[in-house]
């Protein structure tokens, strides 16, 4: 996904600019190495190896690319999806694999060409790989200012346990910040995967009473 127009009054605008600059400074070799590393980290998530419907994103603007996931997903018989932005700025998800045509949407982001009946709602996806500009170790995510993911997955906002879909932020390690101020509409992440680490943000499992 790419950023939408950000209001100058947005209190997080300066942080977004800084994080975009950090990401833009990465070399092509560093991006490719990170793409390989993040696959290994994602494969440590049990649901990533077993859930049937996985959603990702088409990397633009320096986002960490995800094409390296495709061989493993195909081998496990999992279906990969890409987001499609509706007129109400909510997401649905279209099945995609290499070879399926994509066309730019009104924001310039490639979306799969598919029939309306093939689109899946957020409730129908089991695990979502979420692009981000910044993250912290409390599950906070700084997006691009459009609110697409927070709006689409608002039904997960008050969850106390890991729900469906599982939300996994994907980004470079250099996108970590100390703390992201939580907004009322924010939906927290369950995991963050970078090229060198999987950060588990899920609540600890309470031991059974003896």
């Amino acid at each position: 996904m790419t950023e939408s127009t950000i209001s100058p009054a947005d209190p997080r605008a300066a942080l977004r600019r800084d994080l975009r600059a950090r990401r833009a400074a990465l070399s092509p070799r560093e991006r490719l190495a990170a793409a390989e590393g993040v696959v290994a980290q994602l494969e440590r998530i049990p649901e990533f190896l077993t859930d049937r419907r996985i959603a990702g994103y088409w990397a633009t603007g320096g986002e960490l690319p995800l094409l390296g996931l495709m061989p493993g997903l195909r081998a496990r018989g999992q279906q990969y999806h890409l987001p499609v932005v509706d007129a109400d700025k909510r997401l649905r998800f279209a099945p995609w694999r290499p070879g399926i045509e994509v066309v730019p949407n009104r924001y310039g982001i490639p979306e799969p060409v598919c029939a309306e009946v093939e689109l899946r709602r957020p409730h129908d996806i089991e695990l979502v790989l979420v692009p981000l500009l910044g993250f912290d170790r409390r599950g906070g995510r700084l997006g691009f200012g459009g609110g697409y993911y927070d709006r689409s997955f608002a039904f997960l906002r008050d969850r106390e346990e890991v729900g469906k879909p599982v939300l996994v932020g994907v980004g470079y390690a250099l996108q970590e910040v100390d703390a992201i101020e939580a907004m009322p509409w924010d939906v927290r992440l369950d995991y963050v995967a970078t090229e060198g680490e999987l950060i588990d943000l899920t609540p600890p499992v309470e031991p059974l009473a003896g």
Side-chain angles (χ1 to χ4, degrees), residues 130-147:
V130 184
L132 48 78
L133 265 178
F135 67 89
D136 64 25
R137 291 181 179 255
R138 301 179 300 177
R141 167 185 175 267
L142 185 67
F144 304 93

Side-chain angles (χ1 to χ4, degrees), residues 1-205:
M1 302 292 285
T2 190
E3 69 172 309
S4 64
T5 301
I6 298 173
S7 165
D10 184 343
R12 301 197 272 190
L15 180 56
R16 286 190 174 97
R17 287 194 296 270
D18 175 63
L19 290 167
R20 286 198 305 272
R22 292 187 204 178
R23 196 171 64 183
L26 291 169
S27 68
R29 178 176 295 180
E30 288 171 318
R31 295 179 196 279
L32 288 173
E36 294 178 2
V38 83
V39 173
Q41 299 304 323
L42 289 171
E43 290 181 347
R44 297 175 56 201
I45 302 173
E47 293 92 339
F48 181 77
L49 299 176
T50 58
D51 285 345
R52 309 303 294 176
R53 300 189 192 109
I54 306 290
Y57 56 87
W58 189 283
T60 62
E63 291 172 339
L64 199 151
L66 294 178
L67 283 176
L69 302 175
M70 300 308 296
L73 295 178
R74 286 199 302 269
R76 295 188 293 270
Q78 295 163 293
Q79 189 173 47
Y80 189 66
H81 299 74
L82 290 173
V84 173
V85 182
D86 282 346
D88 63 356
K89 296 186 178 180
R90 296 177 188 272
L91 303 178
R92 287 188 290 169
F93 296 89
W96 183 83
R97 64 181 183 277
I100 291 180
E101 183 183 3
V102 297
V103 296
N105 64 14
R106 60 189 179 279
Y107 306 109
I109 304 165
E111 294 180 348
V113 175
C114 71
E116 180 77 14
V117 70
E118 295 181 83
L119 292 173
R120 297 189 181 276
R121 301 171 305 158
H123 297 75
D124 299 325
I125 301 296
E126 295 174 282
L127 184 142
V128 183
L129 305 176
V130 184
L132 48 78
L133 265 178
F135 67 89
D136 64 25
R137 291 181 179 255
R138 301 179 300 177
R141 167 185 175 267
L142 185 67
F144 304 93
Y148 304 109
Y149 284 88
D150 290 324
R151 193 178 299 115
S152 302
F153 295 99
F155 61 91
L156 293 174
R157 187 171 297 136
D158 298 323
R159 72 195 187 284
E160 295 182 0
E161 300 177 348
V162 179
K164 290 291 182 180
V166 177
L167 300 182
V168 183
V170 177
Y172 302 97
L174 57 75
Q175 293 174 268
E176 181 178 351
V177 299
D178 290 338
I180 294 172
E181 181 184 359
M183 298 296 181
W185 54 83
D186 286 346
V187 178
R188 64 174 176 80
L189 300 168
D190 297 305
Y191 297 90
V192 172
T194 73
E195 68 272 27
E197 184 180 13
L198 177 67
I199 304 170
D200 186 345
L201 301 163
T202 58
V205 177

